[in-house]
Structure formats: structure tokens, C-alpha cells
Amino acid sequence: MDFSSFLTSLGTSFIIFIILMLLFAWLSRRPGNSVIYYPNRILKGMDPLEGGPSRTRNPFSWIREALSSTEQDIINISGLDTAVYFVFLGTVLAIFVLSGLLLLPVLLPIAATDNNIKGSKSDVSNNTFDELDMLSMGNVTEKSSRLWAFLIATYWVSLVTYYSLWKAYNHVSALRAAALMSPEVKSEQFAILVRDIPPPPSGETMKQHVDSYFKAIYPDTFYRSMIVTDNKMVNKIHEELEGYKKKLERAEAVFALSKETGGKPEGVRPTTKTGCMGLLGKKVDSIEYFNEKINELVSKLEAEQKLTLLEKHQSAAIVFFTSRVVAASAAQSLHAQMVNKWTVTDAPEPRQVIWTNLTMKFFMREIRQYIVYVIVALTILFYLIPIGLISAFTTLGNLKKLLPFLKPVLNIGAVRTVLEAYLPQIALIVFLAMLSKLLLFLSKAEGIPSLSHAIRAASGKYFYFTVLNVFIGVTIGNTLFNTFKDIENDPNSAVDILATSLPGSATFFLTYVALKFFIGYGLELSRIVPLIIFHVKKKYLCKTENEIKAAWAPGDLGYVSRIPSDMLVVTLVMCYSVIAPLIIPFGVIYFGLGWLVLRNQALKVYVPSFESYGRMWPHIHTRILASLLLYQVLMFGYFGVKKFVYAPILIPLPIITLIFAFVCRKKFYRAFSSTALEVAAGELKDHPNMEQIYRTYVPPSLSSEKVDDDHYEDAISRLGSFA
């Protein structure tokens, strides 16, 4: 990539961002698009433009709205997890700003006024441009006294990171405590999850067994238990019933529409076929047929619900207490002598329970966890090959070598400039986009009981995957492809060649980060893709209000891939901050622009699918420290390549980082893994309605009105409730 290609990449990315921002300002004012740009406010019953400017606002007014919002606004609208995510963005932004204040004015002139690159006989970074290489540490000659500045800068970045992370951890701890002390009644604070329940004694039901066990330990505050049941069949019937209800609603809407547009006042009754997917079989009246199926399935569901509640008990339960202090204490207490019996943890929110995982036995969970780790390790290993190939093959010079018939096209100036600016980065972004669903599936397969926990686990796997594959894979893959013959002729030069290539690889990551913050955040703000999909569905597919609502449902921030993607940028910018300081402004823009754009989206668009009260923060903190540790080891190695005799001065840094991580874990982590009793002891605004709390955990397939009134209560009473 030459200098003109780099400028083309930045310029076109910036222009595209401006265009997308102007499109956002214009499209968001149109009433028909409110459900795309303000769904969070609409779902909360607020006016889409409540508290904002008029519909004739200027294209930059969203920036003022985002900046004027407070952390409490974020918590009130999108929850504590979202607020913690913004603490992460703000913390990283502070690290890079404080680092850049010293590194940019000091290191750039020192590097630019040396002449190592000009004096070098061969430049292994032949895929980069000399103009920026001369601003990197690679332009400083070996053993030069100028390297002292880079060594001091390495310490500065580390100290800034320690300070920022310590401050952030204290802040997030206070936010979590405040949220858990809330006077509002929250169901999960009065419940615990019990797994690995031993078989009941002869003559006792599972419910009697569980109730007697906990009533003996907590005689004054135990309320009742809910035995987890095998819901496979009842879920299947319930899903089928809901499907027919949607079909009936759609058929009735089509019939009503035919009265208005079909030219016949009596309308045209819709028909369907009774065979596979409504395509085969006998043609019947849709409304009558769907009503018949619904009535049939309702009776079938009622019978299956009663059977499930009475006979399909599993070795897990949710136990309820009348005091949230007792519930918090029970969740962190050892209840049985053996680790594989009466395993107790805090209960997840009702909306995020993964019911099928609750009954998984202790040792099965342990075995599955290790199997998943092996699968992830193999995935990382085998993904390293294609990502390295992507990095190698998508450079223009390598394309000419591999596909010589493309030379006439690639030699065209405009085509060459565009391909060099975007092709490798777009290929990498697309490749990574396919990964998050696989890792989330694997995390759930471990037996994790809640959605938020599974997302945290998948996010961790994604982070280490991206660091090992993207950061290391791209750097090594690209260099090996270009210098393979040199290494083959002189294998002992491999380390030197790979280390010398680091400043040159920074140019790839410069463009990668720029593409992500201009194009990525431009698309995020404008929501062009969701807007197009919504209007296509609304015009051609949706017939009912529920279908229209499903078409514009916004979803959440998508932490499973968003946080690892951000962490990759943290790793890239941190690792190259001293080697190629010019990357720091790109990191500042990425996190500064991300803070603004995503704050707008959090206040107006995304709806959280769970609330874990900031439990993701310890994991974010650990991964930032992992990036810092990688940076420190990398710098030590690179100073060695530069033959700087004072490089051992950096040896204390990794040790300090490990000590810092240990201290933070000992000081803060326990309050994130469990609820502190002094926090749980906060006063409640209202006396908890325990029956309502209990009902929130009843699975949808077991909570129809008839079951609640008749069969469900009958089943509960026959199971021996002590409430």
C-alpha cells in the first residue's frame, strides 16, 4: 500500500461517514422511520423525540444529545450493563488520550529525524509506504540512545493503564452496589438456583425433598421451591400452538384487508393446504382450520402441562426466600459436604434462564467445559491458517503473483488504489463476522445456566481468538508470505525478520481501525440495513401489527461480538502505541466516535435482553490487562531486536501487571461473583409479593391462564407445598 492508497482509504471512509450521518439526520425525521431510529423510546411509551430537538434539527444535533446525557440516563433507559460498557469505552479512551499526550509529541520527532530505514539495504516491509515507516520505531537505528525515549514511553503507557483501570474498577463497583441496593423488588434477588439435587428418599416427591431440606436450614425465610421439569414435549406443543395463533391472526388480517381492497364487501376468505408447510394436501378455509388446530392444541397442552408438573421432575430447582439478604447468603454458601450435591448459586433473571442446562450434572458440566476448550483451541488453530492466507493473498502484489491474468485490471490506477485501501480489511471483517454464533453455541453447550453468563464466556473465547488469529496471524502471515525465501535461505534470520516487520504491519491495522470507525459506526448510526429490511418486510410480508413489530424489533447491543471487536482494537493500538505512535489518534477516534454513536443508540435504539448488574466488567478488566501484558512482552522483544542493552529494565513491567491483576481480583472480584450482604440489606420500597416473584419463573409453556387457575395449582398442591 502506498501513501496515496492510505489517504484514499481515510478520505473515502470519512466521506462515506458524513454521507451516512446526513442520511441518518434526514431519515430519522420521517415519521414512518421512527420505529427504526427510536424503538427503545417507543417501547417505553415515550415520544420518539422526547427531550430532543424538533424534527427540523441539524445533522449534528445527535452529538449534543449524546454528550448532554448522564450515566444515570443510560442506567434508567438501557440498564447497568450498558452503563458499564460505556465505562469501558471511556476508560480506554482515557488511556489512549493520556498516552498520546506524551508519545505523539516526543516519539514522532525522535523517529522521524533518524535514518534507519533509508540506510537499510532491504526493507522487509515492502508492502508499506516509507512516509509512515519513517515515523515509527523501525526508523531508529540499533543501539541508539534515542531508544531511551521509547523505553520510558513503554512505562508511561503501562502506568496510565494501571491508573485508569483502578479508577474504573472502583467506579463500576459503586454502580453495581447502587443497583443491587435498589429499593425496587427484583425477582432474582429473592431466589437461588439449586442443581445436582440427590434422589429423594423413598415415599417423598422431589418437591417435598427440596422443601424439607431448605426449610430445615432456613426455617423462617424459606418460601417455596419450583422444581425444574423436563419441558421438551410441552415446549414443542406450546411453540406449535403459538405458531397457529400467529397464522390465525394473519389470516384474519388478510380477510379484513380483502373487504377493503378486494372489491367485495363480504371479502374473500383465505385458504390453506393441510399438508407440509401449507403447500400440499387438501385446501381448506384458513380461519376455520387454524381455530380447530388451536382448540385441539389447547386441550393437548393442558394435559401435557399437568403431566409435566406431576411426573417430569428433574434434579434442579429454583428456591425462593422472603428475604433478599438470606437469598444472597444462601447463594454463596456451601450446603453439602460433597461438591457434586446440592450445588447452589444465585438465580439468573427469569428472562435469561437456559432451562435445558439446569439439569446437567456436575461432572458432565466439567467434562463439557474441557471439551469445549479443546474445540475452541482447535478452532483458533485452524482459523489461523485462513486468516493468515487472507492477509497474505489480499495484498495487491500477492494477487498479481497468484492471479497473473488480473494484472491489466490491477494496474489501473483507480482500481489499484481502491483495492489496496479496502480489500484486506473488508475480507478480514467479513471472515470474523461468521464466528460469534459458533462460540455462543459452544458456550451454551458447557451447561451454563444463564444467557448473560454464556455471552460473557463466548465473548472471552472471541477475544482470545481475535488476538491470536488477527493480531498475530495477520502480522506473521503477511510477513512470512513476503519473506519466505529469505527465511528459507537463512533460517536464523526468522526472528529478526518477523520483529522488523512489526512497524510495517501497523499500516494494515491503521487502515483496519479507520475502516471500522468510519464505515462501521456510520452504518451503525444510519441503520440503513435494518431500515431497508423493515420496509421490505412491511410492504411485502407483514400483515399484522405483531408481524410489523417483530420486523422492527431492535435487539440489544450484541456484547458477544461487540466487546471482543473493541478489545481487538485495544490490543492493536496498545501494542503498536510505542512502535508506531501514529496509531494512537486512530484509537482515540475509534473509541471517541464509538462512545458518541453508541450512546445515541443506547438511549434511542437498543433494548437490553438481560441485566447482569455489571458482571461483565471483571472480564473486560482482565482482557485489557492481557492486552497490556502482550504489549509489554512485545516491547521487550522488539528492544532486543534493536540490540538495546538496557532492554532488561522492562522486565519488571509484566511482573507489575500480574501483581496488579492479582490485587484487583482480591479486592473487587468477590463482590461481582456474589452479592455483598450489606448491599442486599438495603431497604425495599414495597413488601415483596412472593407469589408474583414465584410466577415470574414459570416457563411460558407452563403458564397459560387455565393452567394457572386450575391444573397448575392442583399440581403444586399435590406436590406438597410448605408455603
Side-chain angles (χ1 to χ4, degrees), residues 399-607:
L399 282 176
K400 290 180 180 179
K401 294 177 187 177
L402 295 169
L403 305 172
F405 61 88
L406 291 178
K407 281 185 179 180
V409 177
L410 298 177
N411 287 332
I412 299 173
V415 174
R416 183 181 68 249
T417 298
V418 171
L419 288 179
E420 285 187 330
Y422 292 111
L423 183 60
Q425 292 78 17
I426 291 176
L428 182 59
I429 290 171
V430 171
F431 201 72
L432 289 176
M434 302 162 18
L435 187 65
S436 60
K437 292 186 183 299
L438 170 64
L439 295 179
L440 183 59
F441 169 79
L442 289 174
S443 296
K444 290 181 178 179
E446 294 179 35
I448 290 172
S450 69
L451 177 62
S452 62
H453 188 176
I455 286 176
R456 292 196 300 274
S459 176
K461 297 177 180 67
Y462 203 133
F463 164 69
Y464 293 110
F465 175 91
T466 54
V467 169
L468 291 171
N469 280 283
V470 178
F471 176 64
I472 298 176
V474 167
T475 302
I476 294 178
N478 195 14
T479 303
L480 284 178
F481 194 92
N482 287 309
T483 61
F484 184 76
K485 288 186 178 179
D486 295 334
I487 295 174
E488 186 180 27
N489 295 331
D490 184 10
N492 294 329
S493 67
V495 175
D496 287 344
I497 289 175
L498 291 173
T500 308
S501 72
L502 283 173
S505 298
T507 59
F508 172 89
F509 294 122
L510 280 172
T511 314
Y512 175 80
V513 174
L515 188 65
K516 282 182 69 67
F517 66 65
F518 277 139
I519 307 295
Y521 285 134
L523 290 172
E524 175 69 61
L525 180 66
S526 64
R527 289 181 61 79
I528 292 294
V529 175
L531 181 69
I532 293 172
I533 292 174
F534 166 68
H535 282 294
V536 169
K537 285 184 174 181
K538 183 180 179 182
K539 183 173 180 62
Y540 298 106
L541 301 176
C542 299
K543 301 297 182 183
T544 68
E545 288 299 320
N546 285 333
E547 288 176 343
I548 293 174
K549 186 176 180 179
W552 59 258
D556 58 19
L557 274 167
Y559 297 119
V560 68
S561 58
R562 188 179 295 279
I563 291 179
S565 179
D566 293 338
M567 282 304 310
L568 174 60
V569 177
V570 172
T571 305
L572 294 176
V573 177
M574 188 172 286
C575 287
Y576 282 99
S577 60
V578 174
I579 293 175
L582 201 61
I583 201 172
I584 295 176
F586 288 81
V588 170
I589 296 173
Y590 177 88
F591 286 100
L593 191 59
W595 189 94
L596 282 173
V597 171
L598 294 174
R599 205 165 183 88
N600 177 81
Q601 306 301 79
L603 291 168
K604 301 172 186 175
V605 179
Y606 293 120
V607 177

Side-chain angles (χ1 to χ4, degrees), residues 51 141 148 210 223 229 255 291 294 406 411 507 575 585 605 634 687:
T141 55
W148 274 107
V210 173
Y223 177 65
T229 53
F255 180 49
N291 271 314
I294 288 171
L406 291 178
N411 287 332
T507 59
C575 287
V605 179
L634 180 69
H687 185 74

Side-chain angles (χ1 to χ4, degrees), residues 8 21 36 44 47 71 78 109 140 152 168 205 294 298 316 323-324 332 383 439 480 533 630 641 674 679 694 701 716:
T8 298
M21 187 170 62
I36 297 298
K44 292 182 181 298
D47 183 90
E71 188 171 64
S78 290
V140 179
I152 294 171
T205 65
I294 288 171
V298 165
S323 166
R324 64 179 182 179
Q332 50 194 293
Y383 256 68
L439 295 179
L480 284 178
I533 292 174
L630 178 62
V641 171
S674 304
V679 170
Y694 178 85
S701 59
I716 291 295

Side-chain angles (χ1 to χ4, degrees), residues 103 107 137 150 153-154 157 574-581 631 635:
L103 270 59
L107 299 188
M137 191 175 170
F150 293 88
T154 304
V157 173
M574 188 172 286
C575 287
Y576 282 99
S577 60
V578 174
I579 293 175
Y631 152 76
M635 290 308 303

